[in-house]
Amino acid sequence: MGDHFQVRDRFASGAQFIDGRARPGSSGRTHTVVNPATGEDLLTYPTAGPDDVDDAVAAAHAAFPGWAGATPAARSDALHRFAEVLAAQAPDLAYAESLQCGKPIKLSTEFDVPGTIDNTAFFAGAARRLEGVSAGEYSGDHTSYVRREAIGVVGSIAPWNYPLQMAAWKILPAIAAGNTVVLKPAEITPLTSLMFARAAQEAGLPAGVINIVAGTGPGAGEHLVGHPDVAMVSFTGSTSVGRRVAGIATAGVKRLHLELGGKAPFVVFDDADLEAAVHGAVAASLINGGQDCTAATRAYVQRPLYDAFVSGVADLMGTVRLGDPFDEATDLGPLISHAHRDRVAGFVERARGYARVVTGGEAPGGDWRDGAYYRPTLVTGAAQDSEIVQSEIFGPVLAVLPFDSDDEGIRLANDTPYGLAASAWSRDVYRTGRATREIRAGCVWINDHIPIVSEMPHGGFGASGFGKDMSAYSFEEYTQVKHVMYDNTAVARKDWHRTVFGDRHRP
């Protein structure tokens, strides 16, 4: 599979895409993209520096008036063509995503790529439906209406865990609303972001509407965030880096959208379907190797079901098949890098001092010793304030804790700084209704955990950031709301002028 896809040939012109063409970066430094399943070097490319960022922003700035001034129908038509091009390139996109990330090909084929195509088709339609308050005479003497206008150049920074989907989540609502974009993907996974931009060009989107600068955070990202011609910054990544991005962006008084870390609770009440909860917990904690900010990371199980849940999860984790990402039978590929695998392992090793590792907790040897693999891991006996319960691990690790009352379960679910996603498992509509009201998270699933749809928003509370990706709600991030007010009276001397002119107001 993928014998036709030669990475070095595909990106021989460079790993930057600026003003409609590929070119090498000018930082004077290089970065090597590595296959995390094998340790093989895939592509060494010159990274972007400040000059490349300047050129990309200039291209986006020049393209903005024409793109923002296009009719919604014209932008919609371009996005429909874009979706068609992406669909035609789906096999290559899936292959490249699995190659650079190590994710199983069935995940890339069934989730990442079709989700991206669906997002593109959704925003093709949404581009024609920018909503506002109905025009009306709210003051009595004037007609008011609301315009939604594009902001300008958006500087976006995307993470490495879902490079294609995150590029789409950043770019699509922005351009559907009439903005232009400069995206910095993670330097370790730039391939599909570049392919996404090239597909847009093939679909006929004007040069400069989508630009990609592949480089490091210090080398390119910070310059992009602070650039004076960037009107808005959208960042997805860790909370710690998000704080740095926010500091730079707000110093320039820019619009800011942050989608940050998560530590999603998985709350199982004692009347839950145990089989469904066990299967849901394993799937939701291991999706993409657990490298998902909405992955289930801490399960709270009401005490009557606790022992059976732990046993069931341990048994089911034992059946998960590690292997070659391009083998359709593989359930779990490697983590993104050996360095990240060692970071995940460090959390687990430290937890052995205060908790029990029920299963997993090791890197496999044998055929997979050269890859960044880590076995599915279940931890019990940890305290609520322990590192493994409170910190984002971003790996295939699930901590399980018991609770007694419903009050306690919801309190524990809310007891971290994060608030991105959560789930509650129960057959009782009143219990689940309470959970949806009281769990502080941007998404609360009931009797499931992980599914997303283009029509619904994604974004968090607290240390998980603010603002929404996907859905029509994302236009709140990517548009300026302008109030327009017309006088209807044709009266020169308005009654309210007396507050200034006093008794001189009337002739």
Side-chain angles (χ1 to χ4, degrees):
M1 181 178 184
D3 291 341
H4 66 288
F5 193 100
Q6 300 297 322
V7 173
R8 291 178 178 86
D9 292 342
R10 284 285 182 112
F11 302 100
S13 299
Q16 318 303 320
F17 190 82
I18 298 171
D19 203 18
R21 66 180 184 89
R23 72 184 216 189
S26 65
S27 70
R29 299 177 180 273
T30 61
H31 186 83
T32 299
V33 180
V34 176
N35 179 345
T38 63
E40 172 196 4
D41 291 351
L42 298 172
L43 175 72
T44 298
Y45 68 93
T47 58
D51 289 346
D52 303 299
V53 172
D54 288 345
D55 290 348
V57 172
H61 192 265
F64 174 71
W67 183 248
T71 65
R75 291 198 296 269
S76 176
D77 288 347
L79 287 169
H80 277 300
R81 294 193 303 270
F82 190 9
E84 291 171 0
V85 173
L86 290 171
Q89 297 178 4
D92 280 357
L93 288 164
Y95 180 82
E97 195 75 333
S98 287
L99 192 66
Q100 68 179 351
C101 297
K103 63 181 66 190
I105 191 65
K106 64 183 179 183
L107 180 63
S108 296
T109 301
E110 298 176 21
F111 181 72
D112 297 66
V113 173
T116 299
I117 295 168
D118 185 71
N119 262 249
T120 309
F122 170 81
F123 280 107
R128 302 182 75 157
R129 294 190 66 250
L130 290 179
E131 295 180 348
V133 176
S134 297
E137 287 66 53
Y138 298 100
S139 77
D141 291 337
H142 307 80
T143 296
S144 290
Y145 67 90
V146 169
R147 291 175 56 88
R148 282 191 179 271
E149 297 182 353
I151 295 170
V153 178
V154 179
S156 293
I157 299 178
W160 50 256
N161 57 333
Y162 291 101
L164 178 62
Q165 282 203 312
M166 294 298 98
W169 285 18
K170 294 297 177 199
I171 291 170
L172 292 170
I175 65 173
N179 302 283
T180 55
V181 177
V182 179
L183 173 78
K184 192 200 87 65
E187 66 272 17
I188 61 176
T189 55
L191 305 184
T192 47
S193 298
L194 291 162
M195 294 169 69
F196 187 76
R198 291 179 181 181
Q201 184 186 42
E202 290 180 36
L205 273 75
V209 172
I210 299 174
N211 305 274
I212 308 293
V213 288
T216 65
E222 292 192 4
H223 190 65
L224 176 62
V225 172
H227 198 289
D229 286 337
V230 168
M232 174 183 169
V233 172
S234 180
F235 171 81
T236 295
S238 70
T239 299
S240 59
V241 178
R243 291 190 181 100
R244 171 68 177 162
V245 169
I248 298 171
T250 54
V253 198
K254 302 178 189 296
R255 176 79 69 90
L256 183 62
H257 169 217
L258 298 174
E259 198 267 275
L260 306 177
K263 191 68 178 175
F266 186 103
V267 182
V268 183
F269 294 103
D270 58 13
D271 65 338
D273 181 325
L274 180 62
E275 181 183 13
V278 166
H279 279 78
V282 173
S285 62
L286 301 184
I287 180 78
N288 201 38
Q291 300 167 128
D292 186 312
C293 49
T294 64
T297 59
R298 47 193 179 104
Y300 297 102
V301 184
Q302 207 151 22
R303 208 169 292 275
L305 293 185
Y306 177 80
D307 289 339
F309 180 87
V310 169
S311 176
V313 167
D315 289 346
L316 192 56
M317 279 186 169
T319 71
V320 172
R321 299 166 296 192
L322 278 69
D324 178 358
F326 294 102
D327 184 341
E328 293 283 352
T330 293
D331 300 319
L332 193 67
L335 300 183
I336 190 65
S337 68
H338 288 81
H340 184 63
R341 190 269 311 276
D342 293 346
R343 176 184 176 276
V344 170
F347 279 100
V348 177
E349 291 309 305
R350 291 189 294 275
R352 293 184 192 276
Y354 56 79
R356 176 185 172 220
V357 178
V358 177
T359 189
E362 62 181 4
D367 293 341
W368 314 121
R369 63 183 180 276
D370 294 330
Y373 289 88
Y374 197 75
R375 294 195 185 281
T377 300
L378 177 64
V379 176
T380 61
Q384 174 65 16
D385 62 356
S386 63
E387 178 189 51
I388 208 159
V389 175
Q390 291 292 322
S391 298
E392 186 174 33
I393 299 170
F394 228 56
V397 180
L398 177 65
V400 185
L401 291 81
F403 70 91
D404 292 304
S405 68
D406 289 15
D407 288 350
E408 182 187 15
I410 290 175
R411 178 181 61 79
L412 292 171
N414 286 331
D415 186 27
T416 73
Y418 300 103
L420 186 58
S423 64
W425 298 72
S426 171
R427 293 182 172 95
D428 186 323
V429 66
Y430 297 104
R431 270 179 155 172
T432 57
R434 179 187 178 189
T436 63
R437 293 190 302 272
E438 296 187 15
I439 293 177
R440 291 188 52 76
C443 175
V444 180
W445 290 286
I446 299 299
N447 295 322
D448 207 344
H449 193 117
I450 284 296
I452 55 174
V453 291
S454 296
E455 291 83 358
M456 290 291 113
H458 176 89
F461 297 178
S464 292
F466 48 81
K468 301 300 180 185
D469 289 310
M470 299 201 300
S471 83
Y473 290 99
S474 63
F475 289 135
E476 301 294 334
E477 318 304 321
Y478 294 102
T479 57
Q480 299 275 20
V481 174
K482 178 186 286 185
H483 170 213
V484 178
M485 185 179 245
Y486 282 92
D487 171 62
N488 294 328
T489 66
V491 173
R493 299 184 179 186
K494 307 291 194 294
D495 187 53
W496 70 267
H497 290 180
R498 70 183 184 277
T499 61
V500 176
F501 298 115
D503 59 4
R504 291 169 296 144
H505 173 59
R506 300 187 185 282

